[in-house]
Amino acid sequence: MTEKEAPKTESHDPDFPEALLQFMRSGWRDDSLTVAAQPEADRYAARRAKLSAAFPGETLVIPTGREKVRANDTDHPFRPGSDFVYLTGDHDPDGVLIMRPNGDGHDAVLYTRPRSSRETDEFFRSRDGELWVGRRHTLAEKSALLGIDTAALHDSARALADCAPGRTRVLRRLDPRVDLAIRPWDPEKAGDRDRELAWTLSELKLVKDEWEIAQLRAAVDATVLGFEDAARIIPADRGISERLIEGVFGLRARHDGNDVGYGSIVGAGSHATILHWVRNNGTTTPGELLLMDMGVEGNHLYTADVTRTIPVSGTFTPLQRQVYDIVHASQQAGIDLIKPGVKFKDVHETCMRVLADGLSDLGVLPVSADEAMDPASTVYRRWTLHGFGHMLGLDVHDCAHARKETYRDGELGENFVLTVEPGLYFQPEDDLVPAELRGIGIRIEDDILVTAEGAVNLSAGLPRSSAEVEGWLDAQRSAGVRLPGV
C-alpha cells in the first residue's frame, strides 16, 4: 500500500478524530520472528527447476489470485492457486511468482505483500491491515521460510515492464496488476503460449513424489475418520438433516486439515441421483440410501475424494443390494486393471462394460450391452453420466489442463494418483426404468496410487462391498458419537 492509496474501510466504520490518530501512531514495538526453512522448500525449488528447463530463455509469470468477495464486504476464505502453491509453498493472497531467464536457467522471485508499514495508518485503519488480519511475514522472513527470493508486490509491475514481447508466458489466473503489464501483447499469440505453460504445469503434477503421496495419505486418513464421525450420528430409525452430516464431516476437515477439498455432497434418497448435489437441504429416510461424497483437504492443500453409499436403516433391500453390487463390481474391475502402462481410457471402458452388463441384467437397456458400448451409441450413459474417475492431488480434479494425449488418451504412470468412482443413477422422473429403481443413486469412490506392482487403495480404511458396508455402519453406530480432538 502506498501513501496515495486510501485505507480499505467500510461504511459503518467510526471516524478517527485527530487525537485518536496521533495516539494510534505511536508506542508500537516491532517484534521479529525466528523462522526456519520449511522441510519441503527444496521440493518447490526442484519443481521450479523442472519448469525452467521446459521454457529456456522465457519469462514465466504465475500469480496466485486475490481474495474473492462472498457478499458485500465479506470475502471467501482465501485458497491459493494450485499451480502457484505447487511452485512456491506460499499460502498468502496477491502473490506473483516471476521467473526470469538468467543465461543458464531462471531467477525466481516471489512478489508478495510485505508487512504493514507503520509509516502510514494502514496497519490499524485498513480492513486488510495487520491489526485486522494479523501479522504478515517480512520479505526476509518469507524468503527464509520458503527458500526463495522475495520482493514487494508493488515492484512486480516494474519487473514485468521490460519483458520481451513473445518471450513471456503468463498463467491465466491473473490479478489486474499483471493484466495491465501484459496488455500490449498480441492476445491470440499470448493465449496459445500461456496455454502451453498451463498444460506443462499440469503434466508435471501427474507424477507425485513421496512427500506428495504422504500428504495424500494423510488427507485420506482424515477423510476415513470423517466418514466414521458422520456414520456415528446417522440414526437407523429416523431422519436427520443432510446438513448435519455435512457439518460433522466439515468439523473433522477443519480440525485435522485445512478444510474440505470441495463442497461436500450429501445426497439422501433421490438427491443421490444428482451428481453435484451441494445444497444438502434434504433429510435421510430409513429404508432409503444415503450417498456421501466428501474429502478432507490437508494443511498442504492436497485433498482426498471419497464416496460411500450406505443404507440408512443399516441393511440394503434386495434391489438396492443388486444395484450396489453392480457398481462395486465395476469399481473392482477398474482397480484390478490399474498399473503403469495401462491406458486411462481402458480403465474407463472396463468399468463401463461392467455397468452396461449390469444395466442389461436389470432389464433397462433398450439394446444389448454390446450395442450400448459401441462408441456410436453409448446409450448406457443415460444412467452413468460420468467417467470412471480423474487425477487427484492439489486439486480434486488435478492436472486438468494436461493435454488429451497425455491424460485422457494417455497411459497411467508410476506414482499417478487417481480416483475410481463408477456410479448408477436412476432419476425419479425417468419413465424408461421400472418404478422401483427410480430415485436410486449409488457411487463408490476410492483414491488409488499407481505403483510398479499395480493399484494401492489409499482409502481402503473404508469398506466397499455391500456386506462390509452394513457391518461397518453397525460398528460405527455402536461406537457412539466422537468429536475430533476430544
Side-chain angles (χ1 to χ4, degrees), residues 234-238 284-290 310-317 320 470 473-474 477:
I234 300 171
D237 58 351
R238 60 184 175 85
T284 63
T285 300
E288 294 185 343
L289 299 177
L290 171 68
I310 65 171
V312 173
S313 63
T315 305
F316 291 100
T317 68
Q320 290 169 350
E470 290 172 337
L473 183 56
D474 181 63
R477 285 168 166 165

Side-chain angles (χ1 to χ4, degrees), residues 313-334:
S313 63
T315 305
F316 291 100
T317 68
L319 182 60
Q320 290 169 350
R321 188 184 304 276
Q322 183 182 2
V323 178
Y324 186 98
D325 290 347
I326 292 169
V327 176
H328 178 233
S330 169
Q331 190 202 34
Q332 188 61 56

Side-chain angles (χ1 to χ4, degrees), residues 164-202:
R167 299 296 291 168
T168 302
R169 300 176 188 261
V170 181
L171 193 70
R172 293 280 167 176
R173 240 199 104 133
L174 291 181
D175 159 320
R177 285 161 288 201
V178 184
D179 271 328
L180 185 64
I182 66 168
R183 193 174 295 157
W185 299 352
D186 180 324
E188 224 175 272
K189 291 179 182 175
D192 291 340
R193 294 170 59 75
D194 297 346
R195 278 191 290 274
E196 188 177 355
L197 174 57
W199 65 245
T200 299
L201 279 164
S202 275

Side-chain angles (χ1 to χ4, degrees), residues 84-378:
F84 175 86
V85 81
Y86 178 77
L87 295 169
T88 67
D90 185 25
H91 288 206
D92 291 335
D94 295 324
V96 181
L97 171 66
I98 301 179
M99 297 174 60
R100 304 192 64 171
N102 62 11
D104 57 7
H106 285 78
D107 292 321
V109 178
L110 171 60
Y111 290 85
T112 185
R113 291 191 66 185
R115 287 204 63 193
S116 295
S117 170
R118 299 299 169 91
E119 296 177 2
T120 74
D121 296 342
E122 182 249 350
F123 75 97
F124 66 86
R125 290 191 68 180
S126 182
R127 287 299 184 95
D128 53 7
E130 290 190 359
L131 293 194
W132 287 87
V133 300
R135 186 192 189 282
R136 291 191 288 270
H137 287 108
T138 66
L139 296 178
E141 289 166 352
K142 182 164 283 193
S143 181
L145 189 70
L146 301 176
I148 187 173
D149 291 337
T150 57
L153 182 64
H154 58 72
D155 291 334
S156 61
R158 185 165 62 247
L160 288 168
D162 61 348
C163 289
R167 299 296 291 168
T168 302
R169 300 176 188 261
V170 181
L171 193 70
R172 293 280 167 176
R173 240 199 104 133
L174 291 181
D175 159 320
R177 285 161 288 201
V178 184
D179 271 328
L180 185 64
I182 66 168
R183 193 174 295 157
W185 299 352
D186 180 324
E188 224 175 272
K189 291 179 182 175
D192 291 340
R193 294 170 59 75
D194 297 346
R195 278 191 290 274
E196 188 177 355
L197 174 57
W199 65 245
T200 299
L201 279 164
S202 275
E203 291 178 12
L204 285 174
K205 290 192 287 185
L206 282 168
V207 179
K208 271 60 179 179
D209 63 29
E210 66 273 18
W211 180 81
E212 292 180 288
I213 293 168
Q215 301 310 308
L216 285 165
R217 286 185 183 277
V220 170
D221 289 347
T223 298
V224 169
L225 293 176
F227 269 86
E228 292 175 354
D229 297 339
R232 294 179 183 200
I233 57 93
I234 300 171
D237 58 351
R238 60 184 175 85
I240 61 166
S241 166
E242 293 169 347
R243 289 189 180 176
L244 176 60
I245 299 165
E246 174 190 2
V248 168
F249 184 86
L251 177 61
R252 174 64 64 177
R254 285 292 284 161
H255 183 272
D256 288 13
N258 178 59
D259 207 335
V260 292
Y262 52 94
S264 295
I265 298 167
V266 183
S270 63
H271 288 166
T273 68
I274 302 171
L275 297 188
H276 287 172
W277 174 256
V278 293
R279 297 179 201 168
N280 298 342
N281 59 4
T283 303
T284 63
T285 300
E288 294 185 343
L289 299 177
L290 171 68
L291 185 152
M292 297 175 287
D293 184 338
M294 309 185 292
V296 172
E297 178 184 77
N299 289 321
H300 291 285
L301 308 184
Y302 288 82
T303 186
D305 183 8
V306 176
T307 306
R308 288 296 183 269
T309 307
I310 65 171
V312 173
S313 63
T315 305
F316 291 100
T317 68
L319 182 60
Q320 290 169 350
R321 188 184 304 276
Q322 183 182 2
V323 178
Y324 186 98
D325 290 347
I326 292 169
V327 176
H328 178 233
S330 169
Q331 190 202 34
Q332 188 61 56
I335 292 173
D336 288 344
L337 187 65
I338 288 175
K339 64 180 179 180
V342 169
K343 289 189 174 182
F344 184 91
K345 65 181 180 182
D346 287 346
V347 182
H348 174 79
E349 292 295 318
T350 297
C351 291
M352 297 304 111
R353 179 71 210 204
V354 176
L355 293 182
D357 287 340
L359 287 166
S360 181
D361 292 341
L362 288 169
V364 301
L365 279 183
V367 297
S368 70
D370 287 340
E371 290 175 278
M373 288 294 295
D374 189 310
S377 169
T378 70

Side-chain angles (χ1 to χ4, degrees), residues 53-96:
F55 297 101
E58 301 198 59
T59 298
L60 309 176
V61 182
I62 300 95
T64 190
R66 309 188 75 170
E67 292 177 308
K68 303 297 183 184
V69 173
R70 179 182 183 276
N72 192 25
D73 59 351
T74 60
D75 293 331
H76 288 284
F78 180 73
R79 201 277 193 186
S82 295
D83 292 310
F84 175 86
V85 81
Y86 178 77
L87 295 169
T88 67
D90 185 25
H91 288 206
D92 291 335
D94 295 324
V96 181

